[in-house]
Amino acid sequence: MAQNNILFMSATEIADKIRNKEVTSYEVVSAYLQQIDAQNGIFNAIVLVDKENALHQAILADKAIKSGTNWGKLHGVPITIKDNYLTKGLTTTSGYEPLRNHMPTKDAELVKLLKSEGAIIIGKTNLSVLAMDMQTDNAIFGKTNNAWDSNRTSGGSSGGCAVALATGMTSLSFGNDLAGSIRLPSAYCGVYGFKPTFGVVSINGIQTDPKEPVNGLKSLAVAGPLARTIEDLQLAMDIIANTTNTDKKLIPINRCTYTIDIKHMKIAWTDEFGGVPVDNEIKKAIQDYVAKLEKSGATVVKITPPIDFHLAWKTWGSFVGMQGGYNTSNFVKWMGLPFTKGVLKDVPMHQNIVKPTSVEKYMEALNTQDSLITQMENFLDSFDAFICPVSSVKAFPHHEPTKKLGNFSIYNNPIAINKEFMHYYMSTQAYTTPFTLTENPILSMPISLSKDSLPIGVQVIGKRYSDFRLLKIGMVLDDYSEKFKYPLE
């Protein structure tokens, strides 16, 4: 089989072909390793390659198939993992200098589940420092370049995952999402990404700052897959949406086995909300896409969920500040306020991250979240899904921070949107963070290419715990998106 056919084949198809002895795991793993050797120097998507072990595992996988043994759904299939998932025997840095040589002695829960189904981890993918930026860059490994234009960002923080897929260096990849870290890179790189409902996939084993005794992110953050097809997202979710012997607290969700007809679908959509401008070409692409859905028999309604987006942004920041910064004293936060107040005046989602906190404020944030979840769920009672932008902008040229505040990048130079300028974090996070707060499952999917051959994507948002139904809906909706080949395909 020609190497290029393997590289851009779906993980589902690769698994079938290995199982049916049409191709060997060794051939597939070798093809991806060769592609990494040839392309990673340009794109810098993969920061660690486990070549020797991957080839050894491939040989064992092929022997198992010959003997009639099937390891599972991803038997012998090569995949990549974001470099903030603990992987036994492989360095896990989170792009953070103090973790440069960190060698875990155990696997994250997600990694355990993937290995239990026969997946072969061929490498770790690049990310921003501690997954805290919407671009992928760090002092250890440098920046990851977009597959469509190496002068542009891949998005973050799971940018390495998205670029590895778009350049044929992996069949399937796994990231995590708090502010859009799966959704944004997927949109910027033209791949598919899935943010599950909070609490249905384990986040145990995501490496945070070692100065924090425990991972403080006990809400909002999720683990999820990126792929080149929705079918692969479904396969991945079928594996990772399960408990292990060391994490039984997850919420079980039903698999969706029935078919969905476009003519029976009712879709809510918007091309802008919260007063945050969106690139005109993105808006036009969404309008054209929704028109196709309507022409094909779907009922489409242009409407915005009746939630207070400014409140949602600020409440999202409250959780991040209280949980992600739980070991930073209120005194230190209070001392830093004069330095951040002016910088963050136009970024409501970050204002509460840096403020002193209290138990009372945490209770207020929980109550606000409960209310916003209820409002969003009531809204979705009337629709099969809600479609909206992923970001105000397409992939933009690499954007350098003005300065660093600890591990956090400060950006004083805005991003151009049409003829306006908007703060970097508003242009990248405004459309993702509200639905992190409301815990909804979200499919990030490409719908077209821009005039300058950059991917344009949308978020498809479903009711909480309807993850597999949303993926089925996405498969139907995907039939009406513009199909394209990746630059190296």
Side-chain angles (χ1 to χ4, degrees):
M1 185 176 295
Q3 176 171 316
N4 217 47
N5 289 343
I6 292 175
L7 298 178
F8 289 93
M9 191 179 291
S10 73
T12 302
E13 190 174 357
I14 289 173
D16 288 341
K17 288 187 178 297
I18 291 173
R19 194 176 300 116
N20 296 327
K21 302 178 184 178
E22 296 175 45
V23 66
T24 66
S25 174
Y26 191 87
E27 289 172 330
V28 176
V29 169
S30 295
Y32 280 111
L33 290 173
Q34 289 172 29
Q35 183 75 343
I36 292 169
D37 284 343
Q39 301 297 337
N40 197 47
I42 301 169
F43 298 102
N44 193 33
I46 297 177
V47 297
L48 180 148
V49 182
D50 193 21
K51 182 176 182 178
E52 185 176 332
N53 183 59
L55 289 171
H56 176 65
Q57 290 298 316
I59 291 170
L60 295 179
D62 291 332
K63 287 181 178 178
I65 288 292
K66 286 181 181 179
S67 70
T69 302
N70 185 353
W71 291 347
K73 297 180 178 71
L74 287 173
H75 182 116
V77 178
I79 66 169
T80 52
I81 303 288
K82 188 175 179 179
D83 190 32
N84 65 347
Y85 282 108
L86 297 180
T87 42
K88 185 178 180 180
L90 295 179
T91 55
T92 300
T93 74
S94 289
Y96 186 41
E97 188 65 46
L99 292 167
R100 177 186 283 270
N101 299 312
H102 175 50
M103 185 71 71
T105 57
K106 63 179 181 179
D107 286 326
E109 306 302 319
L110 176 142
V111 175
K112 289 180 191 175
L113 289 166
L114 291 166
K115 286 182 175 179
S116 74
E117 291 290 344
I120 297 175
I121 298 173
I122 59 173
K124 307 288 290 290
T125 59
N126 205 15
L127 72 165
S128 54
V129 180
L130 293 171
M132 289 175 61
D133 198 348
M134 308 315 290
Q135 295 181 91
T136 296
D137 190 9
N138 61 72
I140 303 176
F141 301 113
K143 62 171 60 73
T144 295
N145 300 318
N146 196 296
W148 299 85
D149 180 347
S150 60
N151 294 312
R152 293 177 183 267
T153 182
S154 61
S157 60
S158 307
C161 295
V163 173
L165 286 160
T167 55
M169 290 192 276
T170 189
S171 70
L172 192 60
S173 201
F174 292 82
N176 26 71
D177 189 306
L178 173 64
S181 286
I182 288 174
R183 290 165 281 169
L184 196 75
S186 297
Y188 286 179
C189 297
V191 300
Y192 299 81
F194 193 70
K195 185 202 87 68
T197 302
F198 174 77
V200 306
V201 176
S202 178
I203 59 172
N204 284 5
I206 294 178
Q207 178 65 55
T208 54
D209 192 331
K211 293 194 296 291
E212 298 174 358
V214 297
N215 183 352
L217 292 174
K218 296 302 180 184
S219 63
L220 305 186
V222 300
L226 296 87
R228 286 187 295 267
T229 70
I230 299 176
E231 185 181 29
D232 281 357
L233 294 180
Q234 181 176 267
L235 171 64
M237 280 295 293
D238 198 40
I239 294 170
I240 65 175
N242 288 290
T243 60
T244 67
N245 288 334
T246 46
D247 191 354
K248 293 287 187 182
K249 71 180 182 300
L250 303 180
I251 299 165
I253 51 175
N254 294 326
R255 273 52 175 166
C256 181
T257 57
Y258 54 86
T259 57
I260 295 172
D261 187 343
I262 186 71
K263 293 182 174 61
H264 298 149
M265 290 174 62
K266 187 176 182 182
I267 303 294
W269 72 281
T270 189
D271 52 15
E272 189 175 297
F273 64 64
V276 179
V278 174
D279 179 276
N280 288 332
E281 196 170 10
I282 295 176
K283 295 179 74 170
K284 179 67 162 54
I286 294 174
Q287 292 161 10
D288 291 346
Y289 174 67
V290 170
K292 289 182 190 176
L293 300 181
E294 186 172 34
K295 187 176 180 180
S296 299
T299 300
V300 300
V301 180
K302 189 174 186 182
I303 187 173
T304 301
I307 65 176
D308 183 334
F309 287 102
H310 193 272
L311 179 62
W313 289 324
K314 295 198 73 168
T315 305
W316 175 88
S318 295
F319 280 105
V320 175
M322 289 183 279
Q323 296 181 358
Y326 73 90
N327 64 336
T328 302
S329 71
N330 275 340
F331 176 75
V332 170
K333 290 185 175 183
W334 179 78
M335 289 292 289
L337 281 179
F339 302 99
T340 58
K341 187 175 181 180
V343 173
L344 299 179
K345 64 182 177 63
D346 297 321
V347 192
M349 67 276 290
H350 288 193
Q351 289 167 5
N352 286 353
I353 291 178
V354 298
K355 287 181 179 178
T357 189
S358 65
V359 173
E360 181 182 5
K361 288 179 180 177
Y362 189 49
M363 294 299 105
E364 289 174 356
L366 287 169
N367 284 335
T368 300
Q369 183 190 32
D370 288 347
S371 176
L372 292 170
I373 286 173
T374 298
Q375 291 168 29
M376 189 66 187
E377 291 296 290
N378 286 339
F379 171 75
L380 287 168
D381 280 343
S382 301
F383 301 99
D384 290 292
F386 171 57
I387 292 174
C388 69
V390 182
S391 165
S392 289
V393 289
K394 301 166 292 185
F396 46 86
H398 292 296
H399 200 72
E400 299 298 327
T402 310
K403 59 182 176 180
K404 297 277 187 177
L405 184 64
N407 301 316
F408 192 73
S409 294
I410 303 295
Y411 292 90
N412 290 332
N413 296 321
I415 300 287
I417 303 175
N418 304 322
K419 294 182 179 181
E420 302 179 58
F421 288 92
M422 176 159 287
H423 192 283
Y424 168 86
Y425 280 114
M426 282 301 286
S427 63
T428 55
Q429 292 183 349
Y431 282 90
T432 51
T433 49
F435 309 113
T436 297
L437 182 70
T438 56
E439 300 184 342
N440 299 86
I442 304 170
L443 169 66
S444 178
M445 58 177 276
I447 58 170
S448 65
L449 289 179
S450 69
K451 291 177 182 177
D452 49 354
S453 296
L454 294 173
I456 295 174
V458 293
Q459 293 183 99
V460 184
I461 302 170
K463 289 176 69 70
R464 292 191 312 158
Y465 312 117
S466 69
D467 299 50
F468 285 96
R469 183 172 186 271
L470 179 61
L471 288 167
K472 288 280 190 181
I473 289 170
M475 289 180 186
V476 176
L477 297 178
D478 192 42
D479 288 339
Y480 303 93
S481 60
E482 178 185 316
K483 301 306 172 192
F484 51 77
K485 287 190 174 184
Y486 294 103
L488 302 180
E489 190 173 356

